[in-house]
């Protein structure tokens, strides 16, 4: 995982390049699937473009920590992106 697609980047490196803005760090709205609680470790899920909670994730798979919460299904929650 390279990061999370950002809808409102604070700083945009390579602004003249083609493609989408990817957040490498910071608080970013993130599409998630399944239940998520604040503090959960977030990893990529099997659902394209979504993250999921996995508090037993191995280093190298972690996207960041959830700041927001969701009771389940598909939702958008704020995640503190910190690739670990």
């Amino acid at each position: 995982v390279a990061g999370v697609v950002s809808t409102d980047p604070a700083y945009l490196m390579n602004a003249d390049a083609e493609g989408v803005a990817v957040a490498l760090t910071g608080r970013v709205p993130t599409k998630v699937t399944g239940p998520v609680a604040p503090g959960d470790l977030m990893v990529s899920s099997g659902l394209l473009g979504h993250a999921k909670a996995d508090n037993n994730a191995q280093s190298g798979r972690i996207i960041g920590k959830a700041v927001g919460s969701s009771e389940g299904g598909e939702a958008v929650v704020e995640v503190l992106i910190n690739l670990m």
Side-chain angles (χ1 to χ4, degrees), residues 56-78:
N56 295 313
Q58 297 175 345
S59 180
R61 294 189 58 228
I62 301 168
I63 298 168
K65 282 191 176 185
V67 176
S69 63
S70 170
E71 293 184 12
E74 294 180 35
V76 175
V77 300
E78 191 172 47

Side-chain angles (χ1 to χ4, degrees), residues 1 41-45 50-54 57-58 61-64:
V1 175
L41 296 177
M42 303 303 294
V43 299
S44 61
S45 77
H50 288 68
K52 68 176 182 177
D54 182 354
Q58 297 175 345
R61 294 189 58 228
I62 301 168
I63 298 168

Side-chain angles (χ1 to χ4, degrees), residues 8-64:
D8 189 20
Y11 178 73
L12 187 59
M13 296 172 50
N14 301 319
D16 296 332
E18 291 185 31
V20 297
V22 175
L24 303 176
T25 188
R27 293 171 67 143
V28 179
T30 305
K31 293 179 183 178
V32 300
T33 185
V36 175
D40 280 349
L41 296 177
M42 303 303 294
V43 299
S44 61
S45 77
L47 183 58
L48 186 63
H50 288 68
K52 68 176 182 177
D54 182 354
N55 289 313
N56 295 313
Q58 297 175 345
S59 180
R61 294 189 58 228
I62 301 168
I63 298 168

